[in-house]
Amino acid sequence: MDEALLRSLTPKVLGILVRRGADFAAAEDAVQDALVEAVRVWPADPPKDPKDWLITVAWRRFLDA
């Protein structure tokens, strides 16, 4: 697991969700959920594009909430 990668992507993913219309607190919760999922899934099956993966998972979590 590349913690530096996750740390560098987190503000970018958060900003994208907010620009899509999520309020900051809800976007932050969704991104945190996506990061937890990344830690769980990525060691066995790393994505080709980590940023897009995080955006997709976080946006889905936001919509589900």
Side-chain angles (χ1 to χ4, degrees):
M1 177 57 54
D2 188 353
E3 283 186 43
L5 175 64
L6 289 177
R7 287 182 184 162
S8 70
L9 292 176
T10 298
K12 296 172 187 174
V13 173
L14 182 58
I16 289 168
L17 265 64
V18 170
R19 282 192 297 277
R20 285 185 177 181
D23 66 90
F24 186 83
E28 190 174 38
D29 289 344
V31 171
Q32 287 177 6
D33 289 346
L35 291 170
V36 168
E37 189 68 10
V39 169
R40 189 181 72 77
V41 173
W42 287 11
D45 186 22
K48 291 183 176 150
D49 188 342
K51 181 180 172 187
D52 284 346
W53 189 95
L54 285 170
I55 292 166
T56 300
V57 172
W59 186 247
R60 289 178 182 167
R61 297 291 167 108
F62 167 74
L63 293 175
D64 288 346

